[in-house]
Amino acid sequence: GDSVTQMEGPVTLSEEAFLTINCTYTATGYPSLFWYVQYPGEGLQLLLKATKADDKGSNKGFEATYRKETTSFHLEKGSVQVSDSAVYFCALLTDSWGKLQFGAGTQVVVTP
Amino acid sequence: DGGITQSPKYLFRKEGQNVTLSCEQNLNHDAMYWYRQDPGQGLRLIYYSQIVNDFQKGDIAEGYSVSREKKESFPLTVTSAQKNPTAFYLCASSISGGGGGYEQYFGPGTRLTVT
């Protein structure tokens, strides 16, 4: 079945450091890929998405490229801020009926 | 402002009681979803509905029930049959439940504690 694997956290880094969160997937067909962010005690917010191979999603300085050859959708940000501290979820959406398959989430902690 | 509301934010119940969690959306979305989140884990799908008066079980439907009588509303009942009901519950909606890569929008969640 479809699945998403993302790197375990917590990831701790200093302000202005470069952030990468790895995400790989297994899916039949041609899924859409998403990154969601969850701040403490809140729901999930869509960060970015890509719907086909080689698409790059970007938002708020975050980027991720849909790589079909490596079945990956790694999240990157060039210079993180303390306000980026959150849990980040990679997810895939199959074409069938809209079920989102989530990774386990990666907690990111940014220190001043 | 369009969005998804869930109420209440915190809910406490005694074991053996049924409890209903509210989810309302004013985004005019056809599809709605309920997820459960446990500490340190990803989200797991409980139920989903692609259209009014229709819904299907997700991966962990046992001990839960839903209804979809109105497009805007998708309440979730946690029954006494659910063995471990304490969790964070998230409601979501999307334009369509079918293909097309439509993203899901999430509500703020309800934290249910059963003692």
Side-chain angles (χ1 to χ4, degrees):
Chain A
D2 298 343
S3 67
V4 176
T5 302
Q6 56 182 110
M7 61 190 287
E8 289 187 22
V11 173
T12 303
L13 55 167
S14 300
E15 208 165 21
E16 299 184 3
F18 186 88
L19 170 68
T20 299
I21 304 176
N22 291 338
C23 171
T24 57
Y25 68 89
T26 302
T28 54
Y30 303 95
S32 297
L33 300 172
F34 304 85
W35 277 101
Y36 283 87
V37 59
Q38 184 178 35
Y39 299 100
E42 297 184 9
L44 274 67
Q45 299 175 24
L46 178 67
L47 186 56
L48 52 84
K49 74 173 191 178
T51 58
K52 61 183 188 297
D54 299 326
D55 265 2
K56 177 187 281 190
S58 61
N59 186 28
K60 298 180 181 179
F62 290 90
E63 292 184 340
T65 301
Y66 187 157
R67 301 284 188 201
K68 194 169 182 350
E69 63 277 11
T70 56
T71 61
S72 65
F73 192 54
H74 305 322
L75 181 69
E76 297 181 335
K77 186 175 185 183
S79 177
V80 294
Q81 305 300 312
V82 172
S83 58
D84 293 324
S85 298
V87 179
Y88 293 81
F89 291 94
C90 184
L92 69 83
L93 181 69
T94 62
D95 289 333
S96 54
W97 47 267
K99 175 183 176 180
L100 264 180
Q101 185 71 43
F102 285 90
T106 301
Q107 184 179 10
V108 172
V109 178
V110 181
T111 58
Chain B
D1 277 342
I4 301 175
T5 57
Q6 292 185 243
S7 60
K9 190 169 178 63
Y10 299 96
L11 192 52
F12 298 89
R13 280 294 182 269
K14 294 291 187 184
E15 201 171 307
Q17 294 179 336
N18 292 353
V19 60
T20 297
L21 281 59
S22 167
C23 177
E24 304 277 332
Q25 54 98 0
N26 60 3
L27 300 166
N28 200 32
H29 285 174
D30 282 327
M32 296 187 74
Y33 310 81
W34 273 106
Y35 293 89
R36 170 183 172 136
Q37 185 178 26
D38 293 287
Q41 298 188 29
L43 280 67
R44 292 182 290 170
L45 183 66
I46 304 172
Y47 267 98
Y48 67 100
S49 168
Q50 293 179 288
I51 198 166
V52 175
N53 292 321
D54 187 46
F55 50 83
Q56 285 79 41
K57 293 181 179 180
D59 298 322
I60 56 165
E62 185 175 348
Y64 300 97
S65 66
V66 293
S67 62
R68 186 86 188 276
E69 297 176 0
K70 298 187 298 182
K71 187 175 186 177
E72 312 80 48
S73 179
F74 191 41
L76 173 74
T77 297
V78 184
T79 75
S80 56
Q82 168 50 233
K83 300 297 182 198
N84 297 295
T86 295
F88 190 47
Y89 290 88
L90 288 157
C91 178
S93 71
S94 65
I95 292 174
S96 167
Y102 298 116
E103 59 267 33
Q104 293 181 16
Y105 294 86
F106 284 80
T110 291
R111 187 166 298 280
L112 173 65
T113 302
V114 177
T115 57

